[in-house]
């Protein structure tokens, strides 16, 4: 789905030097590279504070801890997301309140948020699923009305711009109370291991986030809160410094690939290309089609015979997962989400896709989808035997 090796080859001299410099400095933890990355990322996002941490899941957890959320508090998020978003809510003994998404953009539906608000609601977690912003103006209006926090899970959309109706533009993750992200290697800004960060414009909250990520320590060996240990190491920070310089070019390359896909699949009766929200640009963490009247498993099998990977993000919604079932949202809840689970299929999406590769992929998808089930079935039988 991604080609990290080819991407590395292109920036090899920069990365190799940066990594060797860290080894030579022996400043592996909280060294100057972490501080420099933090400052450069603050500038890129145009936000006052970036607080690096160990991964995107920790970033969400620390944000909820620093905001003082208490067991029993309700946190609203979409059921159509990666499990990490709901996991940290449950782990902190808060109550995940799962809601519906918009069928075109795959992002949380503000009307569903409004309906789910109760006196116990303390926070909303909009997820920028697949690379574009949720309708933040509508979400911020609801949050203000009900006096609740907004934690932006930006793991899949770093670098994405949100456009307000008055034309103001802000980076995704800098609009709510606090934004979080993941630097997992396949993310749009990925390191070569694990990493994450939180961002906020609130000075007091930034201090609290920093403290919670560092054992609740207010000064050396004085622990005012029960925190956790969550650090971005210098090796990852130095890699991220290099890759941050290329992030906008990477987004452009992903968009170029998405445009190619869009054109190839335009007006196909069985294929719906991803909608682009009017309020956001798209950084295409994933390029996700919706297919109808197609046996998706057979299509994936057919693509696999041509060595084309395709993934189902996600086959099961959070409210249907064994660990997250609740009377509040039975398995049949959220018809839009349930419909999406049966239709979505994500194609290879990364910064190194050539037109030749894109032609090969789109031709194969069109063959797989358009040739009808019978032909695909026969091909599949041939493969299996
Ligand atoms: C939407 C979302 N939130 C959170 C995470 C968690 O990030 P990490 O894997 O760095 O913990 C991910 C990772 O895939 C994600 O996609």
């Amino acid at each position: 789905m991604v080609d990290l090796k080819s991407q590395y080859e292109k920036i090899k001299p920069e990365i190799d030097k940066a990594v060797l410099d860290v080894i030579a400095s022996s400043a592996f933890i909280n060294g100057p590279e972490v501080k420099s990355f933090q400052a450069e990322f603050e500038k890129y996002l145009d936000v006052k504070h970036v607080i690096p941490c160990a991964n995107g899941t920790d970033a969400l957890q620390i944000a909820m801890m620093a905001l003082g959320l208490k067991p029993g508090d309700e946190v609203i998020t979409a059921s159509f997301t990666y499990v990490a978003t709901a996991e940290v809510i449950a782990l902190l003994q808060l109550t995940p309140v799962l809601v519906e998404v918009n069928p075109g953009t795959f992002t949380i539906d503000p009307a569903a948020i409004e309906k789910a608000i109760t006196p116990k609601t303390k926070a909303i977690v909009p997820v920028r699923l697949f690379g574009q912003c949720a309708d933040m103006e509508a979400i911020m209006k609801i949050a203000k009305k009900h006096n609740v926090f907004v934690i932006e899970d930006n793991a899949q959309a770093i670098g994405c711009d949100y456009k307000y109706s008055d034309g103001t533009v802000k980076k995704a993750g800098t609009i709510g109370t606090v934004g979080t992200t993941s630097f997992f290697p396949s993310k749009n800004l990925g390191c070569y291991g694990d990493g994450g960060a939180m961002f906020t414009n609130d000075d007091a909250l930034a201090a609290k986030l920093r403290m919670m990520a560092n054992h609740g320590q207010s000064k050396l060996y004085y622990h005012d809160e029960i925190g956790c240990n969550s650090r971005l190491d210098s090796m990852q920070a130095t890699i991220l410094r290099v890759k941050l310089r290329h992030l906008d070019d990477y987004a452009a390359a992903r968009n170029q690939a998405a445009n190619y896909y869009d054109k190839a699949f335009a007006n196909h009766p069985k294929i719906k290309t991803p909608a682009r929200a009017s309020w956001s640009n798209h950084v295409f963490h994933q390029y996700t089609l919706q297919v109808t009247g197609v046996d998706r498993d057979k299509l994936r099998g057919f693509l696999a015979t041509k060595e084309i990977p395709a993934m189902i993000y996600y086959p099961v919604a959070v409210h249907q997962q064994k660990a997250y079932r609740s009377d509040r949202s039975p398995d049949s809840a959220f018809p839009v989400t349930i419909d999406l689970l049966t239709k979505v299929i994500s194609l290879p999406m990364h910064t190194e896709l050539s037109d030749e590769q894109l032609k090969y992929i789109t031709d194969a998808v069109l063959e797989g989808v358009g040739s009808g089930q019978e032909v695909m079935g026969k091909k599949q039988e041939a493969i299996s035997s």
Side-chain angles (χ1 to χ4, degrees):
M1 297 295 285
V2 293
D3 184 359
L4 294 176
K5 193 163 190 310
S6 299
Q7 189 191 62
Y8 163 66
E9 297 292 345
K10 283 194 185 153
I11 52 172
K12 187 175 184 312
E14 290 172 88
I15 293 279
D16 290 4
K17 181 178 181 317
V19 168
L20 288 172
D21 285 352
V22 168
I23 296 172
S25 76
S26 299
F28 296 117
I29 301 289
N30 288 336
E33 285 303 300
V34 179
K35 305 225 164 25
S36 299
F37 168 64
Q38 192 183 301
E40 287 159 11
F41 204 30
E42 282 164 357
K43 194 162 170 225
Y44 177 84
L45 293 172
D46 192 20
V47 72
K48 269 174 99 176
H49 305 280
V50 164
I51 299 94
C53 65
N55 56 65
T57 311
D58 276 9
L60 285 163
Q61 181 179 327
I62 295 162
M64 289 177 203
M65 289 164 75
L67 289 170
L69 302 188
K70 297 273 177 309
D73 288 349
E74 293 180 0
V75 180
I76 299 174
T77 195
S79 186
F80 192 59
T81 182
Y82 182 57
V83 72
T85 325
E87 183 179 54
V88 294
I89 302 171
L91 204 64
L92 294 172
Q93 294 180 6
L94 315 172
T95 306
V97 176
L98 301 166
V99 300
E100 189 64 287
V101 290
N102 179 305
T105 60
F106 310 110
T107 52
I108 196 165
D109 177 1
I113 297 177
E114 181 85 66
K115 270 197 219 144
I117 298 262
T118 76
K120 287 185 176 175
T121 307
K122 289 291 178 313
I124 303 165
V125 187
V127 182
R128 281 85 177 78
L129 204 71
F130 304 150
Q132 66 184 341
C133 290
D135 183 353
M136 287 307 291
E137 250 171 318
I139 293 169
M140 293 309 289
K141 216 163 138 189
I142 297 168
K144 202 168 166 203
K145 181 171 153 199
H146 298 280
N147 194 25
V148 299
F149 301 119
V150 174
I151 303 164
E152 299 180 67
D153 182 348
N154 208 31
Q156 300 194 7
I158 204 69
C160 179
D161 290 326
Y162 181 80
K163 287 176 230 146
Y164 285 79
S165 40
D166 69 359
T168 311
V169 174
K170 276 194 183 180
K171 283 284 179 213
T174 66
I175 298 161
T177 322
V178 53
T180 67
T181 200
S182 160
F183 301 128
F184 186 81
S186 62
K187 295 290 191 243
N188 289 36
L189 178 61
C191 57
Y192 292 174
D194 271 312
M198 301 157 280
F199 5 100
T200 184
N201 283 307
D202 180 328
D203 297 343
L205 179 60
K208 194 90 183 274
L209 290 164
R210 220 172 276 289
M211 185 169 94
M212 294 310 251
N214 186 24
H215 300 288
Q217 180 173 279
S218 54
K219 59 180 181 174
L220 193 61
Y221 303 129
Y222 287 80
H223 304 274
D224 295 359
E225 303 262 2
I226 297 171
C228 56
N229 175 28
S230 187
R231 296 184 286 241
L232 180 76
D233 66 63
S234 305
M235 207 75 94
Q236 303 309 335
T238 204
I239 290 161
L240 288 167
R241 286 189 72 197
V242 172
K243 291 186 71 175
L244 182 58
R245 298 200 278 270
H246 299 277
L247 184 57
D248 288 342
D249 289 341
Y250 289 161
R254 286 172 179 272
N255 267 277
Q256 222 174 324
N259 291 340
Y260 192 108
Y261 281 143
D262 276 356
K263 247 191 222 162
F265 303 132
N267 305 320
H268 193 290
K270 294 182 181 174
I271 302 176
K272 188 173 166 198
T273 54
R276 299 175 186 219
S278 57
W279 54 75
S280 174
N281 66 355
H282 208 315
V283 292
F284 285 102
H285 178 57
Q286 301 296 345
Y287 185 88
T288 303
L289 296 173
Q290 293 178 52
V291 289
T292 33
V294 174
D295 184 327
R296 227 177 19 171
D297 290 340
K298 282 186 179 164
L299 175 60
R300 281 185 79 201
F302 175 64
L303 294 175
T305 64
K306 295 179 172 276
E307 297 190 19
I308 299 169
M311 292 292 289
I312 309 302
Y313 302 121
Y314 298 92
V316 183
V318 176
H319 77 282
Q320 300 171 321
Q321 300 281 358
K322 217 168 161 183
Y324 294 89
R325 287 203 176 119
S326 111
D327 292 345
R328 199 160 174 164
S329 40
D331 275 15
S332 59
F334 317 135
V336 172
T337 297
I338 288 174
D339 188 48
L340 288 175
L341 301 176
T342 64
K343 291 182 176 168
V344 288
I345 179 162
S346 299
L347 299 181
M349 173 48 77
H350 54 83
T351 58
E352 310 303 316
L353 283 163
S354 64
D355 279 1
E356 198 186 353
Q357 287 171 320
L358 287 163
K359 183 171 178 351
Y360 180 74
I361 297 166
T362 51
D363 283 353
V365 172
L366 289 169
E367 189 188 346
V369 169
S371 58
Q373 299 307 301
E374 269 178 38
V375 179
M376 279 167 51
K378 274 183 196 143
K379 278 197 171 135
Q380 195 59 31
E381 278 161 31
I383 297 152
S384 317
S385 60

